[in-house]
Amino acid sequence: MEESRTRRHPSVTGAFGRWWEERRRATPLTVTPVSFADLHQWHFAPEGGDLVHATGGFFAVAGMRRYEADGTVRDQPVISQPEIGMLGILVKRFGGVPHALMQAKAEPGNVGSVQLSPTVQATRSNYTRVHRGHGTRHLEHFSGDRRGRVLVDSLQSEQGAWFWRKRNRNVLVETTAEVADHPDYRWVELDELRRLLRTDHLVNMDARSVLGTAPLFRPPPDSDDPFVRALARSYAESPAGHDDEQEVRTWLNDAKSRCASHARLLPLSGIDGWTRTDGEIGDDDGTAFRIIAVHVTATGREVPGWSQPLLAPRSESVATFLVREIDGTLHLLVQARAEPGLHDLLELAPTVHRHHPGEAPGPFDALAESADPARVRYDARHSEEGGRFHRAITRHRVIDVGAEVPVDVPESYRWLTVHQLRTLARQGYYVNVEARSLLACLHSLW
């Protein structure tokens, strides 16, 4: 058995490393837990008890009732944010080599505070300046007359377990225009950027979401490593004999038609199984998450300080792709998974996808957890969106299972190439955020 390719904690060195440490020191952010009564401009609405902002913008914490296929009914708080945000990465070629303009951005829920973020990462409330602070830098390169060549532009869902039908616009734009310099931004060569994805808590969720659909990454087809050669074939056009896109979409639509679970919003004050205290709203069985209140002071943000609620998971999430070669081409095992807050109810997810230990296990969970370390091709912990979630961590893994998992799998699972999954992802509402994040991580495997 060959040596594991897991690279959990590579050092961040060189010119990028020096810039990164400088920005971490220059953009301090302090997060202090407070009571709900001390949240500035936030209050529980008199009718229904939802936790809302005084402007009516940003987001709200509402209630959601889930009706499961087995007849179980579960309530929970959910983040309701109907506006569409912008996640945009700007690409420019220097000496013919593509670079991405990345931002060192601090968020209150991030592990380590500052993480590498898209060029533009802003909600509509932010870029329309509801907060009355500074404007969103570089937004002009993604709209209007100054917009460059659009490589990717799709509406994508976010965490369906915690958001209610949340959508963001994921955009990748290549420009030839002059772009103003700023200390918080750096042009990063794409080859370096993909290697940075090996480091825990460095590249944030929003950047991973955009990079997961980016058409600019391709493994070397002549690699000495058989795994990388199989991966390169998976990135390329799918060979004859593989399912076409329409067949995969039909399979997914069949799964949606069979799905008997659904959900609806209800007033936050009307949910069962949750208790509100002065400083948190928590599930009574202590397995899922809490809603907490914090005050934030920041340097380099649109405003120097603010208050907000955050969703704080009680445990680490798991997202794992099981992979194997089929006819010389690497395939990923995906599942059609329903989550109550998704815009279209059900999307393609990693083979193993679990938010907390209390969730019912899937058919491949035990295999993923007991895998031979030599088969683990990728293993890193990444933060989820730090503007809404407090220290939400997902362990991302890619495990080469070989013939241990057969080609024939349960009806809700399917083997797809990277090319097939990325093509679906660029269309929106087909591939969930955890799977898009893992697609980005695949770029680091050569």
Side-chain angles (χ1 to χ4, degrees):
M1 187 67 67
E2 59 186 2
E3 182 181 353
S4 170
R5 286 172 176 77
T6 301
R7 290 165 286 200
R8 290 286 307 284
H9 300 284
S11 58
V12 179
T13 59
F16 176 88
R18 292 189 293 273
W19 169 79
W20 186 246
E21 289 307 314
E22 176 193 14
R23 299 328 299 159
R24 285 167 59 89
R25 292 192 299 268
T27 53
L29 186 147
T30 302
V31 181
T32 305
V34 297
S35 67
F36 289 122
D38 291 330
L39 281 175
H40 179 58
Q41 289 196 307
W42 290 84
H43 65 276
F44 290 100
E47 294 185 8
D50 290 357
L51 185 54
V52 298
H53 194 265
T55 63
F58 299 103
F59 64 96
V61 181
M64 180 175 70
R65 179 157 292 166
R66 306 170 54 171
Y67 300 88
E68 307 293 357
D70 62 2
T72 304
V73 178
R74 293 188 176 91
D75 291 350
Q76 67 171 83
V78 69
I79 298 174
S80 177
Q81 189 172 357
E83 62 186 35
I84 297 174
M86 170 70 78
L87 307 178
I89 294 180
L90 195 62
V91 174
K92 188 174 182 178
R93 295 177 186 270
F94 297 91
V97 178
H99 291 63
L101 185 60
M102 305 300 291
Q103 176 184 180
K105 186 179 180 70
E107 293 284 8
N110 283 348
V111 175
S113 182
V114 179
Q115 294 188 7
L116 199 61
S117 307
T119 317
V120 170
Q121 176 186 316
T123 65
R124 179 174 175 79
S125 293
N126 285 140
Y127 64 73
T128 57
R129 301 174 64 185
V130 172
H131 48 55
R132 300 182 181 179
H134 300 300
T136 300
R137 198 175 302 275
H138 301 309
L139 185 63
E140 69 275 10
H141 294 287
F142 295 89
S143 62
D145 295 339
R146 295 193 61 185
R147 178 165 54 198
R149 184 168 70 99
V150 177
L151 304 179
V152 172
D153 187 353
S154 59
L155 292 178
Q156 300 286 0
S157 63
E158 300 216 352
Q159 287 84 354
W162 299 332
F163 276 119
W164 177 255
R165 298 183 180 178
K166 175 71 168 66
R167 298 176 292 168
N168 271 328
R169 190 174 178 182
N170 284 224
V171 185
L172 190 72
V173 168
E174 184 170 3
T175 187
T176 57
E178 291 296 318
V179 181
D181 291 334
H182 188 276
D184 287 341
Y185 293 78
R186 182 179 180 87
W187 291 104
V188 182
E189 187 177 341
L190 292 189
D191 201 47
E192 181 174 26
L193 180 56
R194 68 174 188 82
R195 290 194 296 267
L196 294 174
L197 285 158
R198 302 170 186 167
T199 302
D200 292 3
H201 305 302
L202 177 57
V203 181
N204 83 350
M205 185 207 81
D206 297 307
R208 298 193 310 271
S209 178
V210 178
L211 293 173
T213 62
L216 301 173
F217 298 92
R218 183 70 62 86
D222 56 352
S223 171
D224 293 335
D225 187 335
F227 178 85
V228 175
R229 291 200 301 272
L231 181 63
R233 287 189 286 270
S234 191
Y235 271 71
E237 295 285 339
S238 296
H242 283 66
D243 299 337
D244 61 24
E245 294 170 30
Q246 184 57 59
E247 185 174 353
V248 176
R249 286 197 296 269
T250 297
W251 165 73
L252 185 59
N253 288 337
D254 284 344
K256 291 179 181 180
S257 299
R258 292 192 304 268
C259 185
S261 63
H262 62 283
R264 65 179 178 89
L265 288 180
L266 73 162
L268 182 61
S269 61
I271 62 175
D272 295 327
W274 295 73
T275 299
R276 175 177 142 193
T277 65
D278 289 342
E280 71 173 43
I281 303 169
D283 55 322
D284 294 345
D285 59 7
T287 61
F289 59 84
R290 302 172 298 138
I291 301 294
I292 63 173
V294 300
H295 182 73
V296 185
T297 57
T299 300
R301 291 295 298 264
E302 296 90 345
V303 293
W306 68 92
S307 297
Q308 69 170 96
L310 288 169
L311 187 152
R314 296 186 186 273
S315 58
E316 184 177 276
S317 298
V318 175
T320 302
F321 272 144
L322 300 186
V323 304
R324 62 162 290 179
E325 283 189 40
I326 301 175
D327 297 329
T329 299
L330 196 75
H331 284 65
L332 320 173
L333 186 58
V334 301
Q335 63 167 309
R337 175 183 167 98
E339 289 196 315
L342 289 178
H343 180 78
D344 205 17
L345 183 63
L346 185 150
E347 295 183 358
L348 298 178
T351 321
V352 177
H353 180 180
R354 188 173 63 248
H355 290 293
H356 59 80
E359 294 185 41
F364 300 102
D365 288 28
L367 175 61
E369 292 170 2
S370 64
D372 183 342
R375 293 185 173 187
V376 179
R377 300 286 176 167
Y378 184 91
D379 192 350
R381 286 174 168 85
H382 293 299
S383 300
E384 299 304 321
E385 208 279 302
R388 299 292 176 265
F389 308 133
H390 185 259
R391 295 185 173 271
I393 299 169
T394 299
R395 187 178 183 183
H396 290 60
R397 304 180 86 203
V398 177
I399 301 174
D400 186 357
V401 293
E404 191 170 353
V405 178
V407 174
D408 294 329
V409 289
E411 187 177 33
S412 59
Y413 291 79
R414 202 174 188 97
W415 291 105
L416 298 181
T417 66
V418 175
H419 173 77
Q420 289 173 311
L421 194 56
R422 288 205 302 176
T423 299
L424 288 168
R426 285 196 290 271
Q427 298 175 40
Y429 305 140
Y430 278 105
V431 180
N432 76 4
V433 66
E434 290 83 3
R436 298 196 307 274
S437 182
L438 270 173
L439 275 173
C441 296
L442 289 177
H443 302 330
S444 71
L445 295 185
W446 65 89

